[in-house]
Amino acid sequence: MNVEQVMFRSGPVRCAGDLYLPDGAGDRAPAPAVVMGHSVVMVKEALGPHAEYLARAGFVVLAVDWRTVGSSEGEPRCQWLPQWQVQDLRAGVSYLRTRPEVDPGRIGLWGHSTAAGVAIVAGALDRRIGCVAGQNPSLLDAWAALEKSRGRGQLGAVRTLLEQDFERRFETGEGASVPALASGDPKLAGYVAQSEELFPTFRNQITLESMEQVLLWAPIHLVHRLAPTPLLLVTGVDD
């Protein structure tokens, strides 16, 4: 197996990708391929174990960094907008179709956590995508998910914070950022620390404007638009 660091254009910027090529790729018939997306502001390197597994099974795999995240271009940094990520996955498909190692008619999407919803929307829009798989899907309905995790009272406080940031952006042109994962939470502190140690490009932050846009995000309403594209969702017992 060989791994190449590549860049491909998505909208006005370039996204970074790790391209996993199985042994013998290019010396035999073009192989099926998968574009992989990561959760929130995690980075493509975290997808390595999953990508390697698929590459050993004979797939060409492109693990991508969302624009503004990790090694990809784009400002402001950690601007996590799901509609941009849909474009990034579709651009990854376009890139793979240029590779001689890839069968252009056999390309699927794989998304972890929030990227599962991104993959669903991309698959509903783009019939070049042959299948969609989601691992531990989250934020398929952002309002319901946040209300369940934070409670109605805290969700009201979040709305107030977002309104204040909107006014700040109106007055100054610049918004604020907050931790993407609450490192003060004992359940997450170890995860954040480990991620920062393992993945140098990982930044535990997200713009408040991103959170505002996420509240407009509800891939659950587009799941039925995927048909006849096959969909596989793998969830934990509590999801």
Side-chain angles (χ1 to χ4, degrees):
M1 179 177 59
N2 183 43
V3 183
E4 295 181 13
Q5 280 70 52
V6 302
M7 300 291 290
F8 60 93
R9 182 155 295 283
S10 181
V13 301
R14 294 186 306 159
C15 286
D18 290 338
L19 183 68
Y20 294 76
L21 297 169
D23 291 335
D27 297 331
R28 54 176 183 244
V34 178
V35 185
M36 303 187 80
H38 56 74
S39 64
V40 195
V41 291
M42 187 44 73
V43 288
K44 56 184 172 55
E45 288 79 8
L47 298 172
H50 311 287
E52 290 175 8
Y53 181 89
L54 290 176
R56 287 194 295 269
F59 291 86
V60 174
V61 182
L62 178 66
V64 305
D65 272 339
W66 305 131
R67 69 181 76 177
T68 80
V69 173
S71 300
S72 290
E73 298 175 347
E75 296 289 342
R77 300 306 292 171
C78 298
Q79 180 85 307
W80 189 80
L81 301 187
Q83 61 269 32
W84 285 358
Q85 295 165 9
V86 170
Q87 190 175 17
D88 296 343
L89 281 188
R90 296 179 66 194
V93 172
S94 294
Y95 173 76
L96 285 179
R97 287 167 62 91
T98 71
R99 299 286 306 207
E101 305 93 341
V102 172
D103 181 343
R106 300 172 68 197
I107 300 176
L109 302 180
W110 184 99
H112 173 65
S113 187
T114 55
V118 176
I120 287 170
V121 175
L125 288 172
D126 197 330
R127 289 306 182 198
R128 299 175 305 163
I129 295 164
C131 62
V132 173
Q135 175 180 291
N136 294 339
S138 64
L139 287 188
L140 296 183
D141 183 335
W143 280 100
L146 290 173
E147 188 173 65
K148 179 179 179 180
S149 64
R150 296 173 179 266
R152 289 189 176 184
Q154 193 171 358
L155 186 57
V158 169
R159 295 180 70 172
T160 299
L161 185 65
L162 297 182
E163 290 168 5
Q164 293 171 347
D165 189 67
F166 185 89
E167 286 296 310
R168 183 186 300 112
R169 298 198 308 273
F170 174 76
E171 295 170 359
T172 69
E174 296 184 1
S177 295
V178 295
L181 301 170
S183 54
D185 184 336
K187 296 180 181 179
L188 294 175
Y191 174 78
V192 171
Q194 184 182 52
S195 297
E196 291 173 339
E197 180 181 354
L198 292 175
F199 311 122
T201 61
F202 170 71
R203 298 291 181 270
N204 183 33
Q205 65 181 51
I206 189 173
T207 66
L208 285 173
E209 184 179 5
S210 299
M211 294 179 64
E212 186 176 81
Q213 293 299 313
V214 166
L215 290 178
L216 302 175
W217 181 245
I220 194 169
H221 298 306
L222 291 175
V223 171
H224 67 291
R225 299 296 182 187
L226 263 175
T229 302
L231 170 66
L232 171 67
L233 295 179
V234 181
T235 68
V237 293
D238 295 328
D239 287 337

